[in-house]
Amino acid sequence: MLPINGSRDQDPEYQPLMEDDLDPDARSATPSASPWASRTVLLALLAVETAALLAVILLFVRAPQQNCSVALDSGQVLYSPALGAVETEVKVFNVGFSDNFSDFQIPSSPHLDKMWSDLYNFGVSRITKDEASMLPNKTEEIPGDEGHYIAALDVFHTLHCLNKIRMALDPDYYPAWRISTANNWIPEQKNVTQHISHCVEWLRQSIMCTSDTSVIVWQWDSARNTSVFRSDVAHTCRKFDNVQAWAKERVIHEQGEELVHV
């Protein structure tokens, strides 16, 4: 029995009741929240979560095309319909000196021209409307081919530019690609010179964009008794054959003179 004017702390016989001390019948009789009230709270939470999910979905659906990107090689890259064809491999470059020449280092000839043309001369590619809608930049529909759009992979344009620079370096064999280095460009050479200038600038940007970080080394050459520059090292490359195959499967064989603006 508690003292009339005292506290529980003053009663040596007072021990607080624990939950395990409660009578089972009394515990079950403890008032609880109404089931209808609990159901209302759950429904309210479900409604909030559903609204949040819909908001996220709408955000992605309505996102500007400039934000179209996917994760690849631990980084964010812009969407390309050819990303599925990307596969890496290790390759050692031809040095291009001594006895380490490539098949492309032969004198100018129809055979060499064909080798270069075969690298990139697939016209342009045909992609679906869904693929076109995911591009970071808009493109046009192919005339007479509803639901398909025109596109070209940049690697092939870059190869085209390098080939034109190669031709300009041999103007005796390719007189149509002779450039003028004088300040007053010869009129018939002006367009060619501007084209080559464009190509050199394009390659500069492309090389800087890809930024190959493969490491060139120096090794001791006992015959020369000095360390020499070694560029015949391994590189991590994208398999070009895969990208070529992707483009060849989608080549537009007959391209109209005008495109349809949609």
Side-chain angles (χ1 to χ4, degrees):
M1 182 175 179
L2 290 174
I4 295 176
N5 296 321
S7 69
R8 290 181 172 88
D9 295 337
Q10 295 173 331
D11 186 350
E13 296 182 1
Y14 172 75
Q15 294 293 334
L17 290 174
M18 305 301 292
E19 183 177 355
D20 292 340
D21 296 328
L22 293 176
D23 180 79
D25 295 332
R27 190 186 299 120
S28 63
T30 303
S32 61
S34 166
W36 291 105
S38 300
R39 184 175 298 175
T40 301
V41 172
L42 290 174
L43 289 174
L45 291 174
L46 181 61
V48 171
E49 291 178 354
T50 302
L53 179 61
L54 288 174
V56 172
I57 293 174
L58 288 174
L59 179 64
F60 278 99
V61 170
R62 296 182 178 181
Q65 289 189 345
Q66 285 75 7
N67 293 331
C68 293
S69 63
V70 296
L72 184 70
D73 297 335
S74 302
Q76 294 296 319
V77 297
L78 293 174
Y79 168 80
S80 166
L83 285 180
V86 172
E87 183 180 356
T88 58
E89 63 178 345
V90 175
K91 297 192 70 173
V92 176
F93 290 1
N94 294 102
V95 177
F97 290 111
S98 302
D99 58 350
N100 195 352
F101 291 103
S102 80
D103 294 339
F104 285 84
Q105 290 181 272
I106 61 176
S108 300
S109 63
H111 176 64
L112 181 61
D113 291 342
K114 184 178 186 307
M115 288 173 59
W116 273 94
S117 179
D118 288 346
L119 289 177
Y120 63 86
N121 192 23
F122 319 119
V124 290
S125 298
R126 174 179 181 263
I127 62 175
T128 66
K129 182 177 181 180
D130 288 341
E131 290 171 329
S133 69
M134 296 177 66
L135 294 177
N137 302 289
K138 294 180 180 179
T139 191
E140 298 292 343
E141 188 173 19
I142 301 172
D145 191 2
E146 185 177 356
H148 290 91
Y149 289 72
I150 189 169
L153 300 185
D154 186 77
V155 60
F156 302 127
H157 170 244
T158 303
L159 284 169
H160 152 83
C161 265
L162 184 58
N163 190 27
K164 297 311 174 188
I165 294 172
R166 174 190 70 86
M167 295 166 70
L169 291 173
D170 192 357
D172 291 338
Y173 189 87
Y174 305 101
W177 284 93
R178 185 182 299 275
I179 63 174
S180 172
T181 56
N183 291 331
N184 54 339
W185 289 347
I186 300 173
E188 59 268 25
Q189 294 176 338
K190 183 175 182 180
N191 290 338
V192 172
T193 305
Q194 289 179 334
H195 192 152
I196 297 301
S197 176
H198 148 77
C199 283
V200 170
E201 176 59 11
W202 194 269
L203 263 69
R204 179 192 69 82
Q205 295 178 87
S206 181
I207 292 169
M208 293 174 67
C209 178
T210 54
S211 292
D212 186 355
T213 56
S214 304
V215 181
I216 294 171
V217 298
W218 277 253
Q219 295 180 352
W220 185 258
D221 187 334
S222 56
R224 303 181 187 179
N225 198 33
T226 186
S227 293
V228 296
F229 173 87
R230 294 296 300 270
S231 57
D232 52 339
V233 298
H235 298 252
T236 300
C237 305
R238 290 181 170 183
K239 288 187 177 180
F240 184 70
D241 291 347
N242 289 14
V243 180
Q244 265 191 330
W246 182 94
K248 288 178 179 179
E249 290 174 359
R250 295 162 177 78
V251 62
I252 300 176
H253 296 286
E254 295 183 4
Q255 181 181 341
E257 293 183 0
E258 296 182 358
L259 299 179
V260 178
H261 178 66
V262 182

